[in-house]
Amino acid sequence: MFWKSIVIILGLLASANCAVIPNGLIAQRDVDLDGRIVGGSQTSISSHPWQVSLQRSGLHFCGGSVISSTMVVTAAHCLLKVTVPTLRVRAGSTYRSIGGVISNAAAFKIHEGYSTSTKINDIGVVWLKTKLTLGANIKAIQLATATPQHGAAASCSGWGSTSYNGGSSSHLLYIDTRIVARTECGSSSYGHGSKIRETMICAAGSNKDACQGDSGGPLVSGGKLVGIVSWGTNCALAKYPGVYANVADLRDWVIKQM
Ligand code: ARG
């Protein structure tokens, strides 16, 4: 009976996306990873100057990346419940609630091909009302033109949860990961299976992952934006790499909006 319930609980964990599970189930993990993104380290905005925080009523809800002085790229799913008058971007700060500059949104657009069920084309753009002054702490990042190789080093940053269902960080955190190619990510080596579709790419690190609240934020490899935090199964589970929108696949759509 005990083992049966364990199996059921594991099954529930595996099927959860951004769903809610009781805190008690992952208490041990919380203790291990306290104070770190999931397995991340504190960093400063000058090392990730394209990173921004998307805010609504003054509160961080997703990440994003500066791609020009008037434009930010994020995940489509971050923009689903947002209205232009309430949407703001904080740029140039290591902290999500203070510092840097705040710019109001002028408009935003969700990729026409985004699907809430399959999560393909999970990308969107935000146009800013106040132009960002680019400098040491605010820089535009180039969009990758080619899909990174399997095994390539990639780093991800954000202010999201430091453990699944755990608290999040007010200080910017980052992790070093390795790219897991799409076919590999959907293979039996991992648990995602056929959920890995076109326009997706994965990245994994041992006990390192993006998590809730990191969505929309950057996955960077070779100095280029290669991915956008999209979805996962729980966070930092060995069998479940983080899933990202593949920027190389979606680049043309973004360029068209610029
Ligand atoms: N959907 C989540 C969000 O809205 C992002 C989840 C990323 N999860 C992961 N395990 N890589 O913030």
Side-chain angles (χ1 to χ4, degrees), residues 18 77 209-215 229-232 234-235 242:
C18 296
H77 82 263
D209 195 6
C211 205
Q212 271 54 36
D214 291 318
S215 275
V229 179
S230 178
W231 61 277
N234 200 298
C235 301

Short mmCIF file of all heavy atoms in Angstrom, two decimals, residues 18 77 209-215 229-232 234-235 242, ligand 1:
data_model
loop_
_atom_site.label_atom_id
_atom_site.label_comp_id
_atom_site.label_asym_id
_atom_site.label_seq_id
_atom_site.Cartn_x
_atom_site.Cartn_y
_atom_site.Cartn_z
N CYS A 18 2.76 23.29 -14.83
CA CYS A 18 2.84 24.41 -13.92
C CYS A 18 1.77 24.20 -12.85
O CYS A 18 1.27 25.13 -12.26
CB CYS A 18 2.66 25.73 -14.67
SG CYS A 18 3.98 26.02 -15.85
N HIS A 77 3.18 32.09 -23.44
CA HIS A 77 2.30 31.74 -22.31
C HIS A 77 2.38 32.77 -21.18
O HIS A 77 1.48 32.84 -20.36
CB HIS A 77 2.56 30.31 -21.82
CG HIS A 77 3.72 30.13 -20.90
ND1 HIS A 77 4.96 29.71 -21.32
CD2 HIS A 77 3.83 30.31 -19.55
CE1 HIS A 77 5.76 29.65 -20.27
NE2 HIS A 77 5.10 30.00 -19.19
N ASP A 209 17.92 23.56 -13.05
CA ASP A 209 16.84 23.74 -14.02
C ASP A 209 16.22 25.12 -13.81
O ASP A 209 16.37 25.72 -12.74
CB ASP A 209 15.76 22.66 -13.78
CG ASP A 209 14.77 22.51 -14.94
OD1 ASP A 209 14.96 23.14 -15.99
OD2 ASP A 209 13.81 21.73 -14.77
N ALA A 210 15.54 25.57 -14.84
CA ALA A 210 14.66 26.72 -14.69
C ALA A 210 13.45 26.20 -13.91
O ALA A 210 13.28 24.99 -13.76
CB ALA A 210 14.22 27.23 -16.05
N CYS A 211 12.62 27.09 -13.39
CA CYS A 211 11.45 26.64 -12.64
C CYS A 211 10.38 27.72 -12.77
O CYS A 211 10.57 28.71 -13.49
CB CYS A 211 11.86 26.37 -11.19
SG CYS A 211 10.80 25.20 -10.31
N GLN A 212 9.28 27.56 -12.07
CA GLN A 212 8.17 28.50 -12.17
C GLN A 212 8.64 29.93 -11.89
O GLN A 212 9.35 30.17 -10.91
CB GLN A 212 7.06 28.12 -11.19
CG GLN A 212 6.04 27.15 -11.76
CD GLN A 212 6.62 25.88 -12.34
OE1 GLN A 212 7.60 25.35 -11.84
NE2 GLN A 212 6.05 25.40 -13.42
N GLY A 213 8.27 30.85 -12.78
CA GLY A 213 8.67 32.24 -12.62
C GLY A 213 9.89 32.60 -13.47
O GLY A 213 10.23 33.76 -13.63
N ASP A 214 10.56 31.57 -14.00
CA ASP A 214 11.68 31.81 -14.91
C ASP A 214 11.19 31.89 -16.36
O ASP A 214 11.93 32.33 -17.25
CB ASP A 214 12.73 30.70 -14.80
CG ASP A 214 13.46 30.74 -13.47
OD1 ASP A 214 13.80 31.85 -13.02
OD2 ASP A 214 13.69 29.66 -12.88
N SER A 215 9.96 31.46 -16.60
CA SER A 215 9.39 31.44 -17.94
C SER A 215 9.60 32.75 -18.67
O SER A 215 9.53 33.83 -18.08
CB SER A 215 7.88 31.20 -17.87
OG SER A 215 7.63 29.83 -17.81
N VAL A 229 12.63 30.14 -21.81
CA VAL A 229 12.07 29.21 -20.83
C VAL A 229 10.58 28.99 -21.11
O VAL A 229 9.80 29.95 -21.14
CB VAL A 229 12.25 29.72 -19.38
CG1 VAL A 229 11.63 28.75 -18.38
CG2 VAL A 229 13.73 29.96 -19.06
N SER A 230 10.20 27.74 -21.36
CA SER A 230 8.84 27.46 -21.77
C SER A 230 8.09 26.56 -20.79
O SER A 230 7.09 26.96 -20.22
CB SER A 230 8.85 26.84 -23.17
OG SER A 230 7.56 26.51 -23.61
N TRP A 231 8.55 25.34 -20.59
CA TRP A 231 7.83 24.44 -19.68
C TRP A 231 8.76 23.35 -19.16
O TRP A 231 9.91 23.25 -19.59
CB TRP A 231 6.58 23.84 -20.33
CG TRP A 231 6.81 22.98 -21.56
CD1 TRP A 231 6.97 23.43 -22.84
CD2 TRP A 231 6.91 21.56 -21.61
NE1 TRP A 231 7.15 22.36 -23.68
CE2 TRP A 231 7.11 21.20 -22.95
CE3 TRP A 231 6.82 20.54 -20.64
CZ2 TRP A 231 7.24 19.86 -23.37
CZ3 TRP A 231 6.95 19.21 -21.05
CH2 TRP A 231 7.15 18.88 -22.40
N GLY A 232 8.23 22.57 -18.23
CA GLY A 232 9.01 21.48 -17.66
C GLY A 232 8.08 20.55 -16.92
O GLY A 232 6.87 20.75 -16.88
N ASN A 234 7.77 19.26 -13.16
CA ASN A 234 8.40 19.59 -11.89
C ASN A 234 9.62 20.44 -12.23
O ASN A 234 9.60 21.12 -13.26
CB ASN A 234 8.77 18.28 -11.17
CG ASN A 234 8.98 18.47 -9.68
OD1 ASN A 234 9.86 19.20 -9.26
ND2 ASN A 234 8.16 17.79 -8.89
N CYS A 235 10.67 20.45 -11.45
CA CYS A 235 11.89 21.19 -11.81
C CYS A 235 13.11 20.39 -11.38
O CYS A 235 13.12 19.83 -10.28
CB CYS A 235 11.91 22.56 -11.11
SG CYS A 235 10.51 23.61 -11.52
N GLY A 242 14.71 20.73 -18.86
CA GLY A 242 13.86 21.90 -19.06
C GLY A 242 13.58 22.07 -20.55
O GLY A 242 14.44 21.78 -21.38
N1 ARG B 1 5.89 27.25 -17.01
C1 ARG B 1 6.85 27.79 -16.10
C2 ARG B 1 6.62 29.28 -15.90
O1 ARG B 1 5.61 29.77 -16.33
C3 ARG B 1 8.26 27.51 -16.52
C4 ARG B 1 8.62 26.15 -16.17
C5 ARG B 1 10.01 25.79 -16.51
N2 ARG B 1 10.19 24.57 -15.82
C6 ARG B 1 11.28 23.81 -15.91
N3 ARG B 1 11.30 22.75 -15.17
N4 ARG B 1 12.26 24.11 -16.70
O2 ARG B 1 7.37 29.96 -15.21
#
